[in-house]
Amino acid sequence: MTQLGGIKRCPICGSENLIYDPSRAEIVCSQCGYVLDEEIMDLGPEWRAFEPGQREKRSRVGAPETVMLHDKGLSTDIDWRNKDIHGNDISGSTRAKMYRLRMWQRRMRISDAIDRNLAFALSELDRMGSQLGLPRNIREIAAVLYRKAVINRLVRGRSIEGMVSACLYAACRVANAPRTLDEIEDVSKVDKKEIGRSYRYLVRELNLKLRPTSPVDYVVRFGDQLGVREKTKRRAIKIVNMAIERGLTSGKGPTGIAAAAIYIASLLEGEKMTQREVAEVARVTEVTVRNRYKELVDKLNIRIPT
């Protein structure tokens, strides 16, 4: 059965085989030729494309909806340049008119306290995400978490910067690309104590189920920053997995374990580096790297070449 425009069958012969003729904008019965509907509006584009590249070039659509903007990108922006469509300067009277239009446009876009809160918070979130080099999907997860916090009135009485930092920290953990509190603190306007407090409050009130951070999540990033070979990073991941199986990581900081595993793997693969270099990248002390190194070497029976 062909169902077009809500019409199921021909009222004359009862046939269910209906044909849509786009050249005439009509629906016709294939049995008796009766025209069931005519002058149908075509909602498609007025142009044709014969390849994907041509279709993308000819399409005319606005920017997609995004949670990174307080109004989700559905409003209109008035260009700040005082130019007409041909790039020429506009007259003084028109310039004054455009100035007033821009002013009222800003006021209409941010009309209440929630919009002002979101506009400031999401701009801060985008700034921090850019400085950390986070991909767009993690920033969007953080934006969704912050919107939930605003809806549940969790931001009241707390600093916007602290809640934004907490959402960004939580988003990194949700996406299995964790960042340390020290890294978040470097790009935030609040200290890590405030970030940690806001993060625990956010997790509790939104009932987020986040798994504990694994040292494996840090090995590749620390290895890239140290410039070690891929073989060394794989060896370090293997050491971490062995430590997890033996229960050696319980109660210990994941960054310290990851740093020690990279240090051990570098010695085994002939890429010798100092404990200080590894500690600086992992943002831990040399004592921590040394202690974790001794534990892993002793408990996993790893022989370090001299």
Side-chain angles (χ1 to χ4, degrees), residues 191-236:
D191 57 21
K192 64 179 182 181
K193 188 175 181 180
E194 174 67 23
I195 298 172
R197 188 185 302 116
S198 299
Y199 168 74
R200 290 189 294 272
Y201 177 69
L202 185 76
V203 170
R204 183 176 66 251
E205 295 299 323
L206 294 183
N207 195 26
L208 300 178
K209 305 296 183 183
L210 301 177
R211 68 175 182 83
T213 304
S214 172
V216 177
D217 299 329
Y218 293 100
V219 169
V220 175
R221 187 157 55 88
F222 290 168
D224 290 339
Q225 293 175 2
L226 288 166
V228 300
R229 297 193 304 255
E230 192 67 29
K231 188 176 181 181
T232 304
K233 287 184 281 188
R234 289 198 298 267
R235 189 76 172 263

Coordinates of all heavy atoms in Angstrom, one line a residue, residues 191-236:
D191 N 40.6 28.0 43.5 CA 41.6 26.9 43.8 C 41.0 25.5 43.8 O 39.7 25.4 43.8 CB 42.2 27.2 45.2 CG 41.2 27.3 46.3 OD1 40.1 26.8 46.2 OD2 41.5 27.9 47.4
K192 N 41.8 24.5 43.9 CA 41.3 23.2 43.7 C 40.5 22.7 44.9 O 39.7 21.8 44.8 CB 42.5 22.2 43.5 CG 43.5 22.1 44.6 CD 44.6 21.1 44.2 CE 45.6 20.9 45.3 NZ 46.7 19.9 44.9
K193 N 40.7 23.4 46.1 CA 39.9 23.0 47.2 C 38.4 23.4 47.0 O 37.5 22.6 47.2 CB 40.4 23.8 48.5 CG 39.7 23.3 49.8 CD 40.4 24.0 50.9 CE 39.8 23.6 52.2 NZ 40.4 24.3 53.4
E194 N 38.2 24.5 46.4 CA 36.8 24.9 46.0 C 36.3 24.1 44.9 O 35.1 23.7 44.9 CB 36.8 26.4 45.6 CG 35.5 26.9 45.0 CD 34.4 27.0 46.1 OE1 34.7 27.0 47.3 OE2 33.2 26.9 45.7
I195 N 37.1 23.7 43.9 CA 36.7 22.8 42.8 C 36.3 21.5 43.4 O 35.2 20.9 43.0 CB 37.8 22.7 41.8 CG1 38.2 24.0 41.2 CG2 37.4 21.7 40.7 CD1 39.4 24.0 40.3
G196 N 37.1 20.9 44.3 CA 36.8 19.6 44.8 C 35.5 19.6 45.6 O 34.7 18.7 45.6
R197 N 35.3 20.7 46.4 CA 34.0 20.8 47.2 C 32.8 20.9 46.3 O 31.8 20.2 46.5 CB 34.2 22.1 48.1 CG 33.0 22.2 49.1 CD 33.1 23.5 49.9 NE 34.3 23.6 50.6 CZ 35.3 24.5 50.3 NH1 35.1 25.4 49.4 NH2 36.4 24.6 51.0
S198 N 32.9 21.7 45.2 CA 31.8 21.9 44.3 C 31.6 20.5 43.5 O 30.4 20.2 43.2 CB 32.1 23.0 43.3 OG 32.2 24.2 43.9
Y199 N 32.6 19.8 43.2 CA 32.5 18.6 42.5 C 31.8 17.5 43.3 O 30.8 16.9 42.8 CB 33.9 18.0 42.1 CG 33.9 16.6 41.6 CD1 33.4 16.3 40.3 CD2 34.3 15.6 42.4 CE1 33.4 15.0 39.9 CE2 34.3 14.3 42.0 CZ 33.8 14.0 40.7 OH 33.8 12.7 40.3
R200 N 32.1 17.4 44.6 CA 31.4 16.4 45.5 C 30.0 16.8 45.6 O 29.1 15.9 45.6 CB 32.2 16.4 46.8 CG 33.5 15.7 46.8 CD 34.1 15.5 48.1 NE 34.4 16.7 48.8 CZ 35.5 17.4 48.7 NH1 36.5 16.9 48.0 NH2 35.7 18.5 49.4
Y201 N 29.7 18.1 45.8 CA 28.3 18.5 45.9 C 27.5 18.2 44.6 O 26.4 17.7 44.7 CB 28.3 20.0 46.2 CG 26.9 20.7 46.3 CD1 26.1 20.4 47.3 CD2 26.5 21.6 45.3 CE1 24.8 21.0 47.4 CE2 25.3 22.2 45.4 CZ 24.4 21.9 46.4 OH 23.2 22.4 46.5
L202 N 28.1 18.5 43.5 CA 27.5 18.2 42.2 C 27.2 16.7 42.0 O 26.1 16.3 41.6 CB 28.4 18.7 41.0 CG 27.8 18.6 39.6 CD1 26.8 19.8 39.4 CD2 29.0 18.7 38.6
V203 N 28.1 15.9 42.3 CA 28.0 14.4 42.1 C 26.8 13.9 43.1 O 26.0 13.1 42.7 CB 29.3 13.7 42.4 CG1 29.1 12.2 42.5 CG2 30.3 14.0 41.3
R204 N 26.8 14.4 44.3 CA 25.8 14.0 45.2 C 24.4 14.4 44.9 O 23.5 13.6 44.9 CB 26.2 14.5 46.6 CG 25.2 14.0 47.7 CD 25.7 14.5 49.1 NE 25.6 15.9 49.3 CZ 26.6 16.8 49.3 NH1 27.8 16.3 49.2 NH2 26.4 18.1 49.5
E205 N 24.3 15.7 44.5 CA 22.9 16.2 44.2 C 22.4 15.7 42.9 O 21.2 15.5 42.7 CB 23.0 17.7 44.2 CG 23.3 18.3 45.6 CD 22.3 18.0 46.6 OE1 21.1 17.9 46.3 OE2 22.7 17.8 47.8
L206 N 23.2 15.5 41.9 CA 22.8 15.0 40.6 C 22.8 13.5 40.5 O 22.4 12.9 39.4 CB 23.6 15.6 39.4 CG 23.5 17.1 39.2 CD1 24.3 17.6 38.0 CD2 22.0 17.6 39.0
N207 N 23.3 12.9 41.5 CA 23.3 11.4 41.6 C 24.1 10.8 40.4 O 23.7 9.9 39.8 CB 21.9 10.8 41.6 CG 21.9 9.4 42.1 OD1 22.8 8.9 42.8 ND2 20.9 8.6 41.6
L208 N 25.3 11.4 40.2 CA 26.1 10.9 39.1 C 26.8 9.6 39.5 O 27.4 9.5 40.6 CB 27.2 12.0 38.7 CG 26.6 13.3 38.2 CD1 27.7 14.3 37.9 CD2 25.7 13.1 37.0
K209 N 26.9 8.7 38.6 CA 27.6 7.4 38.8 C 28.9 7.4 38.1 O 28.9 7.1 36.9 CB 26.7 6.2 38.4 CG 25.3 6.2 39.1 CD 25.4 6.0 40.6 CE 24.0 6.0 41.2 NZ 24.1 5.9 42.7
L210 N 29.9 7.8 38.7 CA 31.2 7.9 38.0 C 32.2 6.8 38.6 O 32.3 6.7 39.8 CB 31.8 9.3 38.2 CG 31.0 10.4 37.7 CD1 31.7 11.8 38.0 CD2 30.8 10.3 36.2
R211 N 32.8 6.1 37.7 CA 33.7 5.0 38.2 C 35.0 5.7 38.6 O 35.4 6.8 38.2 CB 34.0 4.0 37.0 CG 34.8 4.6 35.9 CD 35.1 3.5 34.9 NE 35.9 4.0 33.8 CZ 37.2 4.2 33.8 NH1 37.9 3.9 34.9 NH2 37.9 4.7 32.8
P212 N 35.7 5.0 39.6 CA 37.0 5.6 40.0 C 38.0 5.7 38.8 O 38.0 4.9 37.9 CB 37.5 4.5 41.0 CG 36.3 3.8 41.4 CD 35.4 3.8 40.3
T213 N 38.8 6.8 38.9 CA 39.8 7.0 37.8 C 40.8 5.9 37.8 O 41.4 5.6 38.9 CB 40.4 8.4 38.0 OG1 39.4 9.4 38.1 CG2 41.3 8.7 36.8
S214 N 41.1 5.4 36.7 CA 42.1 4.3 36.5 C 43.5 4.9 36.1 O 43.5 5.9 35.3 CB 41.7 3.3 35.5 OG 42.7 2.4 35.2
P215 N 44.6 4.4 36.6 CA 45.9 4.9 36.2 C 46.1 4.8 34.7 O 46.9 5.5 34.1 CB 46.9 4.0 36.9 CG 46.1 3.6 38.1 CD 44.7 3.4 37.7
V216 N 45.4 3.8 34.0 CA 45.6 3.6 32.6 C 45.1 4.8 31.8 O 45.7 5.1 30.8 CB 44.7 2.3 32.2 CG1 44.8 2.2 30.6 CG2 45.2 1.1 32.9
D217 N 44.1 5.6 32.4 CA 43.6 6.7 31.7 C 44.7 7.8 31.6 O 44.6 8.7 30.7 CB 42.4 7.3 32.4 CG 41.2 6.3 32.5 OD1 41.1 5.5 31.5 OD2 40.5 6.3 33.4
Y218 N 45.7 7.8 32.4 CA 46.7 8.8 32.4 C 48.0 8.4 31.7 O 48.8 9.3 31.3 CB 47.1 9.2 33.9 CG 46.0 9.9 34.7 CD1 45.2 9.1 35.6 CD2 45.7 11.2 34.5 CE1 44.2 9.7 36.3 CE2 44.7 11.8 35.3 CZ 44.0 11.1 36.1 OH 43.0 11.7 36.9
V219 N 48.2 7.2 31.5 CA 49.5 6.7 30.9 C 49.8 7.3 29.6 O 50.8 7.8 29.3 CB 49.5 5.2 30.9 CG1 50.7 4.7 30.1 CG2 49.5 4.6 32.3
V220 N 48.8 7.2 28.6 CA 49.0 7.7 27.3 C 49.3 9.2 27.3 O 50.2 9.7 26.6 CB 47.8 7.3 26.4 CG1 48.0 7.9 25.0 CG2 47.6 5.8 26.3
R221 N 48.5 10.0 28.0 CA 48.7 11.4 28.0 C 50.0 11.8 28.6 O 50.8 12.6 28.1 CB 47.6 12.1 28.8 CG 47.6 13.6 28.7 CD 46.2 14.2 28.9 NE 45.7 13.7 30.2 CZ 45.9 14.3 31.3 NH1 46.6 15.4 31.4 NH2 45.3 13.9 32.5
F222 N 50.4 11.2 29.7 CA 51.7 11.5 30.3 C 52.8 11.0 29.4 O 53.9 11.7 29.3 CB 51.8 10.8 31.7 CG 50.9 11.3 32.8 CD1 50.8 10.6 34.0 CD2 50.3 12.5 32.6 CE1 50.0 11.1 35.0 CE2 49.5 13.0 33.6 CZ 49.3 12.3 34.8
G223 N 52.6 9.9 28.8 CA 53.7 9.4 27.8 C 53.9 10.3 26.7 O 55.0 10.6 26.2
D224 N 52.8 10.9 26.1 CA 52.9 11.9 25.0 C 53.6 13.1 25.5 O 54.4 13.7 24.7 CB 51.5 12.2 24.5 CG 50.8 11.1 23.8 OD1 51.5 10.2 23.3 OD2 49.6 11.1 23.7
Q225 N 53.3 13.6 26.7 CA 54.0 14.8 27.2 C 55.5 14.6 27.4 O 56.3 15.5 27.2 CB 53.3 15.3 28.5 CG 51.9 15.8 28.3 CD 51.2 16.1 29.6 OE1 51.8 16.1 30.6 NE2 50.0 16.6 29.5
L226 N 55.8 13.3 27.8 CA 57.3 13.0 28.0 C 58.0 12.6 26.7 O 59.2 12.6 26.6 CB 57.4 11.8 28.9 CG 57.0 12.1 30.4 CD1 56.9 10.8 31.2 CD2 58.1 13.0 31.0
G227 N 57.2 12.4 25.6 CA 57.8 12.1 24.3 C 58.3 10.7 24.2 O 59.3 10.4 23.4
V228 N 57.8 9.7 25.0 CA 58.3 8.3 24.9 C 57.7 7.6 23.7 O 56.7 8.0 23.1 CB 57.9 7.6 26.2 CG1 58.6 8.2 27.4 CG2 56.4 7.5 26.4
R229 N 58.3 6.5 23.3 CA 57.8 5.7 22.2 C 56.5 5.0 22.5 O 56.2 4.8 23.7 CB 58.9 4.7 21.8 CG 60.2 5.3 21.3 CD 61.0 4.2 20.6 NE 61.3 3.1 21.5 CZ 62.4 2.9 22.1 NH1 63.4 3.7 22.0 NH2 62.6 1.8 22.9
E230 N 55.8 4.6 21.5 CA 54.6 3.9 21.6 C 54.8 2.6 22.3 O 53.9 2.1 23.1 CB 53.9 3.6 20.2 CG 52.5 3.2 20.3 CD 51.5 4.2 20.8 OE1 51.8 5.4 20.7 OE2 50.5 3.8 21.4
K231 N 55.9 1.9 22.1 CA 56.2 0.6 22.7 C 56.3 0.8 24.2 O 55.9 -0.1 25.0 CB 57.5 0.1 22.1 CG 57.8 -1.3 22.6 CD 59.1 -1.9 21.9 CE 59.4 -3.3 22.3 NZ 60.6 -3.8 21.7
T232 N 56.9 1.9 24.6 CA 57.1 2.2 26.1 C 55.7 2.4 26.7 O 55.5 2.0 27.8 CB 58.0 3.4 26.3 OG1 59.2 3.2 25.6 CG2 58.2 3.7 27.7
K233 N 54.8 3.1 26.0 CA 53.5 3.4 26.6 C 52.7 2.1 26.7 O 52.0 1.9 27.7 CB 52.7 4.4 25.7 CG 53.2 5.8 25.8 CD 52.4 6.8 25.0 CE 52.8 6.7 23.6 NZ 52.1 7.8 22.8
R234 N 52.8 1.2 25.8 CA 52.1 -0.1 25.9 C 52.7 -0.9 27.0 O 52.0 -1.6 27.7 CB 52.3 -0.9 24.5 CG 51.4 -0.3 23.4 CD 51.3 -1.3 22.3 NE 52.5 -1.7 21.7 CZ 53.1 -1.1 20.6 NH1 52.4 -0.1 20.0 NH2 54.2 -1.5 20.2
R235 N 54.0 -0.9 27.2 CA 54.6 -1.6 28.3 C 54.2 -1.0 29.6 O 53.9 -1.8 30.6 CB 56.2 -1.4 28.2 CG 57.0 -2.3 29.2 CD 57.0 -3.8 28.7 NE 57.9 -4.6 29.5 CZ 59.1 -4.9 29.1 NH1 59.6 -4.4 28.0 NH2 59.9 -5.7 29.9
A236 N 54.0 0.3 29.7 CA 53.5 0.9 31.0 C 52.1 0.5 31.3 O 51.7 0.3 32.4 CB 53.6 2.4 30.9

